[in-house]
Amino acid sequence: MRRRSPRRLLGVLAAVTVAFSLFAAGPAGAAGTSAEAAPSAVAAAPAAAAPLSTNTPVVFVHGYTGNASNWVTAMSVFRLNGWSSSDLFAYEYNSYGSNVVNAQGLASFVNNVKSRTGASKVAIVNHSMGGLVSQYYLKVLGGSSNVSHLASIAGANHGTTFAGACLIYITCQQMYPGSAFIAQISLGDETPGDTRYATWYSACDGVILPYTSTRLSGATNNSVLCQTHIGFLADTSVLGQIARFIAS
């Protein structure tokens, strides 16, 4: 499938807003996804697969300047894979405030989802800066005990130099490689607890620089052949893989 070329942006700060924003996610442009440890191309026919479990509530965490509407396609894909709309939730936070506060808000949001659904754990799907919010919650705030699966889509998990264009905001300062915030969530075990972790990233991202920043040590890291940062949000192939990962 052919990728759409990104529109030319006017002004450095405008570039940051559009690139990180999830408001204008375009059609998917992925050529495919390949896991770092790919299975053999030739294998015996598998036994009948066990039914997928779609009872785990899913909390979606947007990226810089995003909001709940950015997950419309993802939620549609999850419903097609068996989830009820009542088990799909989007967490919204202040893109310009501290990600420590944003992570604390995520902790409260997860607790509310658990109370509302009666579930013992939730799954988290994040994009871009949402990776930092999620990682701080799981690692620093002890949230891994509440999370069964974490899927990071083009997450800024080890920072991105692209954030250098918006350093007037604390979130961008925290998102810059080498920040104290990045050091804190990267120190020691990057995938704590019994949570299952997976990431999806692409050399064509264009916003997460370097693009390998998304990978987490101890996670299943999936390299997508060519997808843009915003294009990931409309990539039904990747989103379907994520739904099946959580349902596995």
Side-chain angles (χ1 to χ4, degrees):
M1 188 181 296
R2 182 172 299 173
R3 272 191 306 118
R4 294 183 179 180
S5 298
R7 296 180 178 180
R8 184 174 299 276
L9 306 176
L10 300 177
V12 173
L13 190 55
V16 174
T17 299
V18 174
F20 278 107
S21 176
L22 314 185
F23 293 122
T33 304
S34 59
E36 289 183 345
S40 171
V42 179
L52 294 178
S53 174
T54 58
N55 297 322
T56 302
V58 181
V59 174
F60 296 91
V61 184
H62 64 73
Y64 183 71
T65 74
N67 62 31
S69 68
N70 306 142
W71 297 109
V72 170
T73 300
M75 289 189 179
S76 176
V77 169
F78 271 72
R79 286 193 294 270
L80 287 173
N81 278 274
W83 266 266
S84 167
S85 295
S86 61
D87 283 330
L88 302 174
F89 302 86
Y91 170 59
E92 296 185 309
Y93 60 87
N94 179 8
S95 290
Y96 309 106
S98 172
N99 280 319
V100 172
V101 175
N102 294 334
Q104 292 168 343
L106 177 59
S108 297
F109 190 86
V110 167
N111 287 338
N112 288 337
V113 168
K114 289 173 59 183
S115 177
R116 178 173 173 178
T117 62
S120 59
K121 294 187 177 185
V122 306
I124 289 179
V125 178
N126 65 56
H127 177 254
S128 195
M129 193 173 74
L132 300 186
V133 177
S134 303
Q135 288 299 107
Y136 194 93
Y137 166 55
L138 267 73
K139 182 166 184 176
V140 181
L141 301 183
S144 59
S145 62
N146 296 318
V147 180
S148 64
H149 296 72
L150 182 136
S152 187
I153 310 170
N157 298 325
H158 295 98
T160 172
T161 57
F162 204 92
C166 57
L167 291 177
I168 59 173
Y169 300 116
I170 187 171
T171 43
C172 290
Q173 295 168 21
Q174 292 169 334
M175 192 162 39
Y176 198 81
S179 71
F181 186 95
I182 297 292
Q184 186 175 16
I185 63 174
S186 300
L187 181 66
D189 188 359
E190 293 189 340
T191 53
D194 295 328
T195 304
R196 294 184 61 190
Y197 296 78
T199 72
W200 281 259
Y201 65 99
S202 176
C204 298
D205 185 296
V207 171
I208 301 302
L209 304 171
Y211 70 93
T212 53
S213 172
T214 297
R215 298 187 306 202
L216 293 170
S217 177
T220 299
N221 297 299
N222 301 284
S223 176
V224 178
L225 296 183
C226 196
Q227 183 55 280
T228 64
H229 190 68
I230 299 302
F232 267 116
L233 295 169
D235 191 325
T236 56
S237 175
V238 168
L239 294 170
Q241 291 172 31
I242 293 170
R244 291 187 291 274
F245 162 68
I246 293 173
S248 62

